[in-house]
Amino acid sequence: PENASKISCLCSVKLASSLISATDSFVAASADGSIKLYSSLLESPTAQSYPAAAATVTCVAALRTKSSTIIACGTTQPDGNGVTIYTNPTDAPTNVGQDKNLMVEALDVFTIKDTIVLVAGCALARSNQIYVFSAPLTTDSTPVFTLAGSLSGHQDWVRCFSSTASFNSNSNSTSLLLASGSHDHKIRLWNFQTSK
């Protein structure tokens, strides 16, 4: 579908309750801060507009739960507002990590057991970390994310993520492998085996 402003990032909407990687929906964010959720792409495409972000959205990640579609947006604006979370086009968004003055270049969101995990790759002069936030996977439409920790190792801006889930039939458990790419010329692999 045509968008009125310049597209800065896209993501497919993942399913929280399945190892299937994506739904038939995606999110488009634009240079003017506008955010749209496109769905029903196989039939008649529809678009829902969300409140505009305060700056150009540099990265976006989305997850569909039983009660809502969670859209996480990051910007690299100078005051570092962290990650903005949208759950409903009519509700005001919430912020995560603003106390860390995060300038976010990469996002991913996924579930491990009964926990939603949000990872934010940062672009700061002395803190090129991956911040990990978590929220319980409940029937509440708006998850409350708290800082679970950070992943250190990259020496430059963390610019991109890719994740994949796998099921181990021997241990009857699901693990998730997250790959992070950075301007330090490295790809790092992180294995999430539990929600802790």
Side-chain angles (χ1 to χ4, degrees):
E2 188 172 340
N3 205 51
S5 55
K6 297 176 182 178
I7 304 293
S8 57
C9 52
L10 291 168
C11 77
S12 59
V13 178
K14 297 178 182 178
L15 285 173
S17 59
S18 171
L19 292 181
I20 298 171
S21 61
T23 64
D24 67 343
S25 304
F26 71 92
V27 176
S30 303
D32 64 0
S34 64
I35 301 158
K36 289 188 178 178
L37 171 64
Y38 293 93
S39 56
S40 304
L41 300 180
L42 300 178
E43 298 170 3
S44 301
T46 60
Q48 284 185 304
S49 294
Y50 285 72
T56 297
V57 178
T58 54
C59 50
V60 64
L63 181 76
R64 180 169 295 154
T65 67
K66 289 182 179 179
S67 54
S68 66
T69 298
I70 301 162
I71 300 173
C73 297
T75 68
T76 54
Q77 59 192 33
D79 58 357
N81 274 347
V83 181
T84 304
I85 304 292
Y86 299 86
T87 53
N88 191 310
T90 59
D91 295 341
T94 59
N95 280 15
V96 175
Q98 67 270 26
D99 58 327
K100 299 278 183 195
N101 291 323
L102 302 185
M103 295 175 61
V104 181
E105 282 282 336
L107 286 172
D108 201 358
V109 62
F110 47 85
T111 56
I112 300 175
K113 296 186 180 181
D114 56 355
T115 302
I116 303 170
V117 179
L118 173 68
V119 290
C122 295
L124 297 173
R126 290 174 295 281
S127 180
N128 300 294
Q129 296 189 41
I130 298 167
Y131 285 89
V132 182
F133 301 93
S134 65
L137 181 60
T138 65
T139 56
D140 294 339
S141 60
T142 304
V144 177
F145 286 97
T146 57
L147 181 64
S150 61
L151 306 172
S152 301
H154 281 299
Q155 302 301 310
D156 208 335
W157 290 15
V158 180
R159 296 299 304 267
C160 52
F161 291 122
S162 185
S163 59
T164 183
S166 64
F167 181 75
N168 186 332
S169 56
N170 294 331
S171 62
N172 197 25
S173 64
T174 301
S175 63
L176 188 131
L177 186 66
L178 176 73
S180 58
S182 167
H183 274 192
D184 64 6
H185 304 265
K186 293 195 171 55
I187 298 169
R188 290 188 177 268
L189 302 178
W190 313 90
N191 190 1
F192 290 79
Q193 293 186 335
T194 70
S195 59
K196 296 181 180 178

